[in-house]
Amino acid sequence: MKGILVLHGPNLNLLGSREPNVYGYETLEDINQALEKLAESQDVEIRFLQSNHEGSLIDALHEARSWASGVLINPGAFTHYSYGLRDAISAVSLPAVEVHLSNIHAREPFRQKSVIAPVCVGQISGFSWRSYLLGLQAIIDILK
């Protein structure tokens, strides 16, 4: 196994202070540290990128073809409408797991549809910061 790319979409840099009743009090750095600890315990390299810009996430996916075996992605709001991000995941042919902190299926109707999920091997949502850990473990298991 090569490495795993972890992508955080728009507004996730505000975790810990952004609507903590929905997204929790953990910061993005807290989540990244927990992911790093899990990856180290499984002898897996991970690289992180958070961006509020769709093109940056797409560029990171394209670049990952040369070094990664899989992708863990929280597309944030791009989940619901970014066909560009969806097509990039499909084009790079790396298995991807989509994660969300909140249960998108129990929220507003516009948040319940993911255009990303059909090109991912799975989706995990609703377990707060633990969604990321569950997603990372899933992609590691899939790649073994």
Side-chain angles (χ1 to χ4, degrees), residues 25-102:
Y25 289 95
E26 291 75 22
T27 66
L28 189 60
E29 184 59 31
D30 294 336
I31 292 169
N32 285 346
Q33 287 176 2
L35 289 170
E36 209 157 52
K37 185 177 177 180
L38 175 58
E40 283 178 17
S41 76
Q42 307 250 347
D43 199 28
V44 173
E45 174 197 0
I46 57 174
R47 297 183 194 175
F48 303 98
L49 174 70
Q50 185 282 320
S51 183
N52 296 315
H53 305 281
E54 182 180 26
S56 297
L57 299 170
I58 291 170
D59 288 344
L61 282 163
H62 292 183
E63 185 181 302
R65 291 181 302 162
S66 67
W67 67 267
S69 295
V71 177
L72 180 66
I73 182 169
N74 181 342
F78 292 141
T79 301
H80 317 294
Y81 66 88
S82 178
Y83 294 104
L85 191 55
R86 180 231 177 267
D87 288 350
I89 293 168
S90 181
V92 299
S93 298
L94 295 172
V97 172
E98 178 184 349
V99 298
H100 297 282
L101 298 165
S102 66

